[in-house]
Amino acid sequence: MHVLEQLAPRHTIVITMRGRGQSDSPVSGYRLEDHVRDIDAVIRHLELEQFILMGYSRGVSYQLSYAVQHPERIQGLIIGDYPAVHTQLPPGWVDFFASLPPWRGKTLYERMTVEAVQALQRESSKVELWDELPKLECPVLIIHGVKPHPGLSLEAVEQYKRVLPHAIVVAFEEHDHNLFEPDVDTFVRTADSFMNEISNSNHNSSTTNTKGVRTWII
């Protein structure tokens, strides 16, 4: 994965959620709280104490739900082009999503089984996370696309600014919802700069972890 290569030697962990990639695909268990428990299980298994946590697209709701439950573990958040809402997927979403062009060279059903996609839709429910975000005092980077069909509307960007006034907001002018194309280097430079700022802040402060940022989870 080009992003990981670019960020080396930074310690980076990629969590492939249930039903995706080579992770197990149970017939049920695709609620928001199930995904959050999966994140927690990985973190506990690896005995991670503090880290930067990134979420992208629908994964932002998993990321933020975990973060507001464990703010003491979060050194920073990178929010990738999605509002602080776990959306309820409507009827017909499965057929629509399956009809989309391949994403980064793979079709939907090369990434997920039919049963997993159907369960993801069936067990989805709307959960608003905006009111929980003010408890997050860590540095926050919000990245959103500008071209047609971004995942994060301008209204949602303004809502992030209201509830997280300390957040940094970066607009990718040449990107839509896909923050990694046409230029993945733009994302890498932006994320790396943000994480370096946190590392420098931690090294310079006697009240924070003087080891700096060592782990980034996406």
Side-chain angles (χ1 to χ4, degrees):
M1 187 176 180
H2 187 51
V3 172
L4 303 187
E5 294 172 354
Q6 294 267 88
L7 290 168
R10 191 184 300 278
H11 184 203
T12 305
I13 297 164
V14 179
I15 301 177
T16 303
M17 307 303 294
R18 61 174 61 199
R20 285 81 154 178
Q22 298 182 24
S23 295
D24 290 345
S25 295
V27 295
S28 63
Y30 293 87
R31 301 169 301 167
L32 174 60
E33 52 265 41
D34 296 317
H35 288 88
V36 174
R37 278 197 292 267
D38 287 345
I39 295 173
D40 188 55
V42 172
I43 290 168
R44 291 181 181 278
H45 175 74
L46 296 176
E47 299 181 339
L48 302 176
E49 294 183 359
Q50 288 190 311
F51 44 84
I52 293 175
L53 184 62
M54 176 186 168
Y56 168 67
S57 192
R58 189 172 178 81
V60 166
S61 63
Y62 309 151
Q63 167 205 29
L64 294 180
S65 294
Y66 177 86
V68 297
Q69 293 176 35
H70 304 278
E72 74 285 353
R73 293 181 177 270
I74 309 300
Q75 284 186 300
L77 292 171
I78 300 177
I79 298 173
D81 204 55
Y82 210 75
V85 179
H86 185 68
T87 56
Q88 183 169 14
L89 303 173
W93 174 83
V94 173
D95 291 337
F96 165 75
F97 206 54
S99 71
L100 295 177
W103 172 263
R104 306 186 78 180
K106 289 188 178 182
T107 65
L108 173 64
Y109 292 131
E110 289 178 299
R111 298 176 180 275
M112 300 178 68
T113 66
V114 174
E115 294 78 14
V117 177
Q118 291 174 340
L120 189 67
Q121 186 278 324
R122 184 175 62 250
E123 299 181 27
S124 66
S125 61
K126 186 175 181 179
V127 180
E128 298 260 0
L129 298 165
W130 299 110
D131 291 343
E132 299 291 323
L133 298 190
K135 69 177 63 173
L136 298 173
E137 299 180 353
C138 63
V140 178
L141 171 65
I142 300 166
I143 306 174
H144 67 99
V146 173
K147 286 194 169 183
H149 312 299
L152 186 61
S153 68
L154 293 179
E155 292 79 9
V157 170
E158 292 304 314
Q159 194 160 1
Y160 269 126
K161 290 180 180 179
R162 287 193 294 272
V163 298
L164 293 171
H166 62 286
I168 300 168
V169 179
V170 177
F172 282 6
E173 299 287 344
E174 299 301 317
H175 298 69
D176 53 20
H177 181 53
N178 186 350
L179 300 179
F180 312 101
E181 295 177 4
D183 179 18
V184 70
D185 292 340
T186 299
F187 171 81
V188 170
R189 287 194 301 270
T190 303
D192 200 44
S193 176
F194 173 72
M195 290 186 285
N196 285 336
E197 285 292 328
I198 296 176
S199 292
N200 293 336
S201 175
N202 286 345
H203 279 295
N204 294 331
S205 173
S206 61
T207 61
T208 57
N209 176 13
T210 57
K211 294 182 180 179
V213 177
R214 301 178 60 192
T215 302
W216 182 36
I217 302 178
I218 61 176

